[in-house]
Amino acid sequence: MKTTQVQRKSLKDYEPFIESDLLESILQLSSELRGLRVLHVNATSFGGGVAEILHTLIPLMKDCGLTVDWKVIDAPSQFFDLTKRMHNALQGKEDRLSDEDRNLFKNVSKDNASFIKPGEYDIAVIHDPQPVGLPAFADFGSCRLVWRCHIDTSSPNRVFWDYLNGFLSYYNAAVFTLKDYAKDGISIDKIYEIPPSIDPLSNKNRELSKEEMQQALRKLGIESGKPVITQVSRFDPWKDPLGVVDAYRKLKERFRELQLLLIGSMASDDPEGWKIYEDLLRYSGMDYDIKVLSNFQNISDIEVNAAQRVSKVVLQKSLREGFALTVSEAMWKKTPVVGGNVGGIPLQIHHGINGYLVESVEDTVEYTGRILDDPGLAKEMGNKGYEIVKKDFLSTRHLHQYLQLFRDLTN
Ligand code: UDP
């Protein structure tokens, strides 16, 4: 396993966003938990929501006095092919798990488990299926083990779920974005519901200066004065990027100047990305008002931030979704969001209040068109979205719930 370094962050800087009783409770828990040794393990330090969250939560936990390490598992590319299939199967896709698959999963878990020493940590939080097998092969001593599942496992492929569930008996608690994602028969007693969060001070979400905004828009290649709609997400079939292009094409018949930005990143643990990226380029054809951009064109946090700000509507047309940080990110920038009515998206979008929930390309066209037609409605929805994020989806609420969980498990 490799250790990931994080930047320093200070809870003090977040005070403008926190209610005083929440801050007080965080400080109280921090003093109770000072010195607690915590390990987070996941599959990648970059790309996708989990890495995004850990780059904020870990520095904040450290600032609260905890000793926190972040380790990323080491594995050959075949392992990530397998775990992406697992991810897809756990979200309901048909697939078969062969003996060869099981052996590969076991061997990689074993290899990474050899980095764990008994007595080194008080709490280990293992994120998602890729490292779930570690406790079966590692000696964690008296360390309390938490499995944090970020995906929607409410209707999984049964064979894959049973295989995964076999590893869960080693854990003391599981955390899901929604309690409903935990299947009947799950072999962990304690189930916590903790939704993810966004960092209001990160480059992804902070206010941008005029110059930063202009520079970012130039990099994105957007023509100013013409309306933009955007989807930001890994190049993944569940995010339905081709469906977004279909919706854009229909909308373009009415909104002749419309531009579509599709921004995606290649996470190191997601081997499907390149294929979807190529499909998307082919599908977009010669329409220069569609821009398909990624981290390989140096499109990074500030550009994503600018895209979410400049857009008239942000889309997240997912077919399956754990949470979709991209929804809260757009809401924080007062941009209305049209999102698939799946997973954690309805937690964030209240239909008709701060955006719309959709089930199809036709819905996407209908509701996006409504917002594009009515700037007053867009403004009202944007303001409501901001309030929802401020109340429920900022890192400080998330930090608080983790500290409560750690206290529960160590008491
Ligand atoms: N993201 C990004 N650049 C991209 C694509 C995604 O910075 O090109 C970020 C996005 O802003 C969000 C995270 O990656 O913070 C994706 O998290 P989400 O929960 O939406 O989806 P996941 O990838 O975890 O399924």
Side-chain angles (χ1 to χ4, degrees), residues 48-49 52 204 232-234 239 263-265 304 324-326 329:
E52 182 82 17
K204 173 78 52 72
V232 178
S233 52
R234 282 179 299 105
K239 310 282 185 182
I263 305 181
S265 57
V304 171
L325 288 177
T326 49
E329 287 166 2

